[in-house]
């Protein structure tokens, strides 16, 4: 099994887990060291007061030399142990060996304290409930050496960290707060390369086949995934380039004999005159040439649409095309109307965007009876375009199929009109390349409604 390195994702998770645990444990240890319920050095100011008190008691006991009668000595000791400061403090005296001389109160706390604090060179203190013990301080008399301890009521509020340690819920909350920065950093380290990979995948879905060096950064797992992704993009570019070369070759090889065929048909018509057979050959050759051109346009659109994208406004993009379509509709004794164009910002390939809308409008002119209505509706962050006509429409069960290449609702009609079944497929491909969508429904005018949605640039 490999040792987890920090450059690997699982190594970072492992390291952050133990770093968080270490920080929490160290914090708890430091808290316990400052807990007044544990043995601690006496702060400087209280220590000086207690040392001064010990000096005064030492002088008082030595002012009257102790007699050989221990009863008199013990009486004076007991007099010193009376409660002071309204019974808020208490002095204790013990022998050097730890035997309590006086008083006999708080003996449980005192006995515990003298077992852990028995060096007068380094006096200590400890809290027992609300009773704070401190000492020892050396008292030297002619009779014997004693240890003096002090006890008093502690009225201070428990430190914040003591309150935390005494409440499991608060301790859990603090632990979560301490670990949050580490976990946030881990989440950022994991999601940042994941977001980059997601954005790169979305660009590829839009037809932008470009390698992204930033994908090969971050944890080793994401570096490897990013490198594989870039290799995939390069492979796709190679495949697409090969496809483009193949399409160019097909275009040249197919159009050359078609051109010769049409020239031969024209020569035959000159020599033999017009005939239905020669006209049919010329018509089919013309349709075939048109179909090849549209098929090549569709293929080029799916590959190269992202290479010429720019931000354009809706008015300058479609105005001339709409005016030309209105003129064409009038020549066929039909009415084409559209609402006022605005300067909607749209990012894309201008030629493809014009071609996408023009294909739908010309279909509406071709198959509508006499009315074509185009409506532009500005919605939040997108533009809705609807094209309605009052023609025969499309059966409901075929509305989703009309965007498939070469699909024909009525073969006889398409042949008579010269349609190839590629116009709406080109439009659908163009909109998909621009992160848009297209949908066909029944029109309120009685014919077909085509709804197109394009995202607006910010």
């Amino acid at each position: 099994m490999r040792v987890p390195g920090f450059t690997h994702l699982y190594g970072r998770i492992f390291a952050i887990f133990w770093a968080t645990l270490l920080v929490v444990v160290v914090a708890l240890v430091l808290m316990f060291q400052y807990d007044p319920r544990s043995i601690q050095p006496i702060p400087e100011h209280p220590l000086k007061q207690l040392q001064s008190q010990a000096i005064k008691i030492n002088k008082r006991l030595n002012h009257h030399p102790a007699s050989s009668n221990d009863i008199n000595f013990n009486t004076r000791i007991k007099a010193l142990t009376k409660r002071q400061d309204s019974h808020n403090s208490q002095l204790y005296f013990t022998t050097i060996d730890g035997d309590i001389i006086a008083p006999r109160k708080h003996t449980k706390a005192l006995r515990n304290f003298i077992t852990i604090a028995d060096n007068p060179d380094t006096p200590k203190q400890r809290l027992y409930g609300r009773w704070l013990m401190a000492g020892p301080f050396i008292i030297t008399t002619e009779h014997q050496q004693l240890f003096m301890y002090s006890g008093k009521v502690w009225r201070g509020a428990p430190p914040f960290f003591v309150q935390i340690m005494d409440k499991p819920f608060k301790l859990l909350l603090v632990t979560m707060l301490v670990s949050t920065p580490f976990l946030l950093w881990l989440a950022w380290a994991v999601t940042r390369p994941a977001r980059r990979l997601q954005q790169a995948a979305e660009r590829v879905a839009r037809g932008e086949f470009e390698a992204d060096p930033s994908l090969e950064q971050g944890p080793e797992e994401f570096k490897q995934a990013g490198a594989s992704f870039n290799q995939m993009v390069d492979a796709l570019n190679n495949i697409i380039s090969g496809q483009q070369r193949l399409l160019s070759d097909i275009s040249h090889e197919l159009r050359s004999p078609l051109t010769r065929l049409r020239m031969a048909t024209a020569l035959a018509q000159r020599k033999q005159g017009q005939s239905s057979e020669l006209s049919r050959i010329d018509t089919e050759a013309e349709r075939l040439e048109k179909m090849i051109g549209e098929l090549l346009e569709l293929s080029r659109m799916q590959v190269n649409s992202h290479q010429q994208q720019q931000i354009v406004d809706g008015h300058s993009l479609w105005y001339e095309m709409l005016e030309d379509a209105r003129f064409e509709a009038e020549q066929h004794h039909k009415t084409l109307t559209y609402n006022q164009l605005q300067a909607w910002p749209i990012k894309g390939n201008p030629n493809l965007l014009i071609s996408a809308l023009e294909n739908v409008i010309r279909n509406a002119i071709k198959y509508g009876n006499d009315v074509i209505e185009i409506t532009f509706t500005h919605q939040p962050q997108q533009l809705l375009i609807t094209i309605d006509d009052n023609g025969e429409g499309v059966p409901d069960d075929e509305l989703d199929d009309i965007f498939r290449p070469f699909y024909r609702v009525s073969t006889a009609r398409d042949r008579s009109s010269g349609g190839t079944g590629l116009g709406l497929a080109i439009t659908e491909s163009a909109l998909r390349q621009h992160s848009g969508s297209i949908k066909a429904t029944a029109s309120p005018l009685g014919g077909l409604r085509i709804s197109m949605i394009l995202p607006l640039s910010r």
Side-chain angles (χ1 to χ4, degrees):
M1 179 178 178
R2 293 181 58 186
V3 177
F6 193 72
T7 56
H8 291 79
L9 183 60
Y10 66 91
R12 294 186 180 185
I13 296 175
F14 181 83
I16 288 177
F17 170 78
W18 283 109
T20 303
L21 184 62
L22 179 63
V23 169
V24 172
V25 170
V26 170
L28 289 176
V29 170
L30 293 176
M31 286 181 183
F32 277 114
Q33 288 184 353
Y34 290 96
D35 188 352
R37 295 171 298 184
S38 61
I39 191 72
Q40 296 181 9
I42 302 174
E44 183 178 359
H45 182 66
L47 178 61
K48 290 182 178 180
Q49 290 181 336
L50 290 172
Q51 287 175 341
S52 176
Q53 186 178 23
I55 292 173
K56 292 179 181 179
I57 290 175
N58 194 74
K59 289 181 179 180
R60 184 175 176 181
L61 290 176
N62 289 318
H63 183 69
H64 300 287
S67 64
S68 59
N69 190 347
D70 290 341
I71 297 177
N72 293 331
F73 181 77
N74 290 338
T75 299
R76 287 191 295 165
I77 291 294
K78 290 179 180 180
L80 294 173
T81 60
K82 290 182 179 181
R83 285 290 187 94
Q84 303 172 0
D85 300 330
S86 301
H87 305 287
N88 289 329
S89 63
Q90 177 72 60
L91 293 179
Y92 303 91
F93 293 91
T94 69
T95 64
I96 296 178
D97 296 330
D99 296 329
I100 298 176
I101 298 175
R104 298 298 179 180
K105 298 178 180 180
H106 299 99
T107 54
K108 184 176 181 180
L110 178 63
R111 288 186 182 281
N112 179 269
F113 185 67
I114 63 179
T115 59
I116 56 178
D118 57 357
N119 186 358
D121 294 332
T122 56
K124 304 289 185 179
Q125 69 177 20
R126 184 179 179 182
L127 183 65
Y128 293 87
R130 304 294 294 178
W131 194 249
L132 183 64
M133 301 291 297
F137 299 93
I138 190 71
I139 302 295
T140 302
T141 66
E142 293 181 359
H143 184 63
Q144 62 179 334
Q145 283 190 330
L146 306 174
F147 281 161
M148 183 192 78
Y149 294 89
S150 172
K152 66 177 181 179
V153 176
W154 190 67
R155 301 188 182 280
F160 177 71
F161 59 85
V162 173
Q163 300 177 28
I164 293 175
M165 290 188 293
D166 289 344
K167 300 292 180 60
F169 178 76
K170 289 184 178 180
L171 182 60
L172 176 62
L173 181 61
V174 171
T175 303
M176 293 173 62
L177 291 175
V178 171
S179 61
T180 295
F182 296 97
L183 298 178
L184 286 176
W185 180 85
L186 177 62
W188 175 82
V190 172
T191 57
R192 186 185 183 191
R195 285 195 300 269
R196 285 200 298 258
L197 192 59
Q198 176 191 2
Q199 293 167 358
E202 291 175 350
R203 288 195 296 270
V204 170
R206 294 194 300 266
E208 301 177 17
F209 301 101
E210 298 178 357
D212 186 357
S214 66
L215 295 179
E216 302 180 31
Q217 300 175 2
E220 288 294 332
E221 291 83 357
F222 283 103
K223 285 183 179 179
Q224 295 172 5
S228 300
F229 188 89
N230 286 335
Q231 290 176 3
M232 179 193 71
V233 172
D234 292 337
L236 286 174
N237 280 325
N238 292 333
I239 294 173
I240 291 170
S241 298
Q243 182 189 33
Q244 285 295 97
R245 288 194 297 270
L246 177 62
L247 289 174
S248 298
D249 294 340
I250 291 175
S251 174
H252 180 269
E253 295 298 328
L254 290 180
R255 282 179 170 174
S256 296
L258 279 175
T259 302
R260 291 194 295 269
L261 176 62
R262 297 194 67 185
M263 290 178 62
T265 304
L267 290 174
Q269 288 177 344
R270 285 185 182 181
K271 292 180 179 180
Q272 302 178 10
Q274 293 288 344
S275 67
S276 59
E277 292 81 3
L278 291 176
S279 297
R280 181 64 180 270
I281 292 173
D282 187 63
T283 299
E284 294 298 330
E286 183 180 359
R287 288 188 66 254
L288 183 58
E289 185 175 7
K290 182 179 180 182
M291 185 181 298
I292 292 172
E294 290 185 351
L295 182 60
L296 291 175
E297 180 184 357
L298 177 62
S299 299
R300 284 192 296 268
M301 179 186 303
Q302 293 174 339
V303 174
N304 299 323
S305 64
H306 66 280
Q307 295 179 355
Q308 298 177 353
Q309 289 196 354
Q310 62 188 58
I311 296 179
V312 294
D313 67 272
H315 185 277
S316 61
L317 182 66
W318 290 308
Y319 179 75
E320 291 186 4
M321 183 271 295
L322 289 171
E323 288 298 310
D324 292 340
R326 192 207 302 252
F327 178 78
E328 180 180 342
E330 291 175 352
Q331 303 308 307
H332 292 83
H333 307 289
K334 300 179 182 181
T335 302
L336 185 148
T337 60
Y338 61 92
N339 59 328
Q340 185 176 2
L341 296 175
Q342 303 291 333
W344 304 296
I346 301 173
K347 182 179 181 181
N349 186 314
N351 293 330
L352 295 185
L353 291 173
I354 294 174
S355 176
L357 183 56
E358 185 177 17
N359 286 338
V360 178
I361 294 176
R362 295 198 181 281
N363 273 352
I365 295 174
K366 184 182 299 183
Y367 300 119
N369 290 335
D370 56 5
V371 176
I372 299 95
E373 292 183 357
I374 305 170
T375 306
F376 295 87
T377 305
H378 181 220
Q379 298 179 342
Q381 302 301 323
Q382 64 183 18
L383 179 65
L384 171 63
I385 308 172
T386 57
I387 301 95
D388 292 284
D389 66 66
N390 62 345
E392 296 182 2
V394 175
D396 292 342
D397 57 349
E398 298 184 55
L399 289 174
D400 294 333
D401 296 327
I402 61 177
F403 301 106
R404 288 164 40 196
F406 303 111
Y407 184 83
R408 294 168 179 171
V409 177
S410 171
T411 303
R413 183 188 69 180
D414 285 345
R415 289 192 180 276
S416 63
S417 63
T420 62
L422 287 173
L424 291 179
I426 291 174
T427 297
E428 190 273 339
S429 177
L431 289 175
R432 182 161 34 85
Q433 295 294 321
H434 291 81
S435 302
S437 62
I438 187 171
K439 183 179 180 181
T441 56
S443 171
L445 300 180
L448 181 65
R449 164 176 282 186
I450 299 294
S451 301
M452 304 166 55
I453 295 179
L454 281 171
L456 296 178
S457 180
R458 297 180 180 179

